[in-house]
Structure formats: structure tokens, C-alpha cells
Amino acid sequence: MDALKSAIQPITHNLPEPIRDLGVSILGDTCYKSLLLDVNIEDADCLKLAISKALGIGIIAASSIVKVPQILKLLNSKSAEGVSFLSYLLETTSYLISLAYNVRNGFPFSTFGETALIVGQNVIISVLVLNYSGRASLAAVFIAALAGTVAALFAENIVDSQVLSYLQAGAGVLGVASKLPQILTIFQQGGTGQLSAFAVFNYLAGSLSRIFTTLQEVDDKLILYGFVSGFILNAVLALQMIFYWNAPSEKAKGKRKVSPVAAKPKATLSASSTATPKKSPTTRRRG
């Protein structure tokens, strides 16, 4: 341990000021001193906090691209098969409420930052799903309603803190409910269609990590219960993704055209009748 300290401390004590300030802002003065300056890896509380912060930053980084594969699948296939608009609508609403709740309560950004990035990607996916489902006219209505919701949630004179707390409780229910239409869609179609496996498994890992970060940094049962419920349903989606991995959906099966069996040509014998003209009797002169 002493050898480790003697090797690390000359580095940690001479970090550039911007890096030191960033470390203090993430870990706080006490844990920064304990973990980096004193190299006290036996400080369990600070170690848990550091792990939580690292997970949170990792989730935020991953969330910046978590829905990109789904967007690309929709654009390339020009089909919304297997993707539920209702699921994305409920999830986006839930995330908007949670985002406003976390921001207005001043919780650490590392515990909720991914929600802002996911909301933006969800909006793109929702518009694409509407477009490829033949409901392009509803996309403008969806965007307008979304803008009004954002304005109301972040305005304290419209939605006060008490009402926002009630909405956050409902957001947990919405977050859980948002998975059910997608699970049902996969079950009904017998396949995952254009649903992105990358997004599904990242959601599963992210929701599990969020349970840990919430326990460490946010003393709010409403948020914790939402992540626990979300993890359970994300696990169901992940199991469906594995089960239907190579299975074409019923809709895709119906589109398959069965090539008609070519009928064997019947050999027809054409009998050609040749009529032999009868010779008419001729009379010759004798003489």
C-alpha cells in the first residue's frame, strides 16, 4: 500500500488546476482529498461515491448514442414494424417529468443527465414511427404538444413543486407503462421487427446502474422505485429480444410470396391427317 501511495501521490498532488477543479466538483473536497491526495482506497463511503459518479458519467456518455442504432434501423428500412409509438410517447412524457423534477430539485447532473439526451432521440424516433406508419400529419401535433409540456413543467408559476412531486410519482408509473405496449407489440407480431437490440440491452444495463447511483446519491424513493420497476420490464424486453432473435414476425411472414410451381407442359400429339386425293377415272382414246 505504501509503495502504491508513493507512486501515485506525486501525480495526484501535481494535477493541472482544471483537472483538480473537475475532480473536486465531481467528488467533493472530502472524497477528493481522501481518494486522490491521500490515496485512501479503504474509505468505503468515498469509494462508493466515486463508483456511482463513474457509472453516472458512463450512462450519460452511452445515452448520447443509445437510440442512434434504432434511428438508423428506421431510416434504412423505412418501416416502423415492431416499434410501438405509444411506448415512446409514454417514455418521453415520463422522462420529461423526471428531467424537470431533477433539475428543479437541484439533484446532481450525473444522476439524471441521460434523460435529456434520451428525450431528444425519442422525439426523432417518434416522428419517424409516425411517418412510416402512415400518420405523418400527427407528427406536427406531437411536436407542438411536446413543446407546450416542456414549457409548463419548467415554469414554477404553472406547475408548482407540490404538483411536480405528484407528477413525478405518476412518471414512475408512466415509465413502467411505457414498456408494456412494446412488450405486447413484440408478443403479437411474434418478432422484434425493427427494434434495436443495442438500445434494449443498454437500457437494461443503464437501469441497473441507475438503481445503484440513486441509492448512493439521491435520497428519493420515488425515483428509486421508478428505476427498479423499469429494470424489471427492461429485463422482460431483453428476454424477448433473445427469444425472438432470428424469428421473423408474423407480418413479415405474411409478406413472403410463395413462388408458384410451374405446371408441367402437357405433351400433345397433333395428328396431321394428309388427305390423299382420289384419282378420278380417266378415259383415253383408243385407236
Side-chain angles (χ1 to χ4, degrees):
M1 183 64 68
D2 292 336
L4 180 64
K5 285 185 179 181
S6 61
I8 294 177
Q9 281 181 331
I11 300 173
T12 58
H13 279 262
N14 294 285
L15 290 173
E17 188 173 348
I19 296 178
R20 182 181 62 80
D21 292 342
L22 179 62
V24 171
S25 67
I26 293 174
L27 296 174
D29 288 319
T30 303
C31 286
Y32 181 85
K33 180 179 182 300
S34 177
L35 293 178
L36 292 178
L37 298 182
D38 298 338
V39 194
N40 181 16
I41 59 174
E42 295 179 356
D43 189 340
D45 291 336
C46 285
L47 198 58
K48 288 179 183 178
L49 177 63
I51 293 171
S52 176
K53 293 292 187 182
L55 284 173
I57 293 170
I59 292 170
I60 293 171
S63 68
S64 63
I65 60 167
V66 68
K67 298 294 183 78
V68 171
Q70 182 66 79
I71 294 170
L72 293 177
K73 285 192 77 171
L74 289 169
L75 288 172
N76 291 333
S77 67
K78 299 191 183 305
S79 167
E81 181 191 357
V83 183
S84 168
F85 170 73
L86 179 59
S87 178
Y88 276 94
L89 175 63
L90 293 175
E91 184 182 69
T92 303
T93 305
S94 170
Y95 273 37
L96 277 177
I97 295 170
S98 293
L99 181 62
Y101 182 79
N102 279 277
V103 170
R104 287 174 56 174
N105 279 281
F107 293 140
F109 183 75
S110 61
T111 63
F112 69 89
E114 76 278 4
T115 56
L117 298 172
I118 292 175
V119 163
Q121 294 169 78
N122 275 358
V123 172
I124 296 172
I125 292 171
S126 299
V127 170
L128 289 175
V129 170
L130 287 173
N131 184 48
Y132 294 140
S133 301
R135 296 175 289 174
S137 58
L138 291 178
V141 178
F142 169 69
I143 295 296
L146 197 68
T149 303
V150 171
L153 287 173
F154 283 88
E156 195 166 354
N157 59 336
I158 299 176
V159 178
D160 60 28
S161 299
Q162 187 66 36
V163 173
L164 189 60
S165 297
Y166 295 144
L167 289 176
Q168 176 60 31
V173 177
L174 278 180
V176 173
S178 70
K179 306 297 178 185
L180 296 178
Q182 186 63 73
I183 292 171
L184 185 61
T185 298
I186 294 173
F187 178 75
Q188 289 175 337
Q189 295 190 0
T192 55
Q194 302 305 318
L195 189 63
S196 167
F198 179 81
V200 169
F201 289 111
N202 268 273
Y203 258 51
L204 180 65
S207 57
L208 179 60
S209 300
R210 273 295 170 229
I211 293 172
F212 178 78
T213 60
T214 303
L215 286 171
Q216 293 302 314
E217 300 184 60
V218 179
D219 186 18
D220 195 309
K221 299 300 182 186
L222 289 176
I223 295 177
L224 177 63
Y225 295 154
F227 283 129
V228 171
S229 303
F231 171 75
I232 293 171
L233 291 180
N234 281 330
V236 174
L237 273 174
L239 289 174
Q240 283 185 312
M241 182 64 69
I242 295 170
F243 183 77
Y244 293 113
W245 190 261
N246 290 318
S249 66
E250 293 298 326
K251 190 174 180 181
K253 289 177 184 176
K255 288 182 178 179
R256 288 181 177 175
K257 293 182 179 180
V258 181
S259 56
V261 180
K264 292 182 179 179
K266 294 181 180 179
T268 56
L269 297 175
S270 59
S272 59
S273 58
T274 55
T276 306
K278 293 181 180 180
K279 293 182 179 180
S280 57
T282 58
T283 57
R284 292 182 180 179
R285 285 185 183 180
R286 292 180 182 180

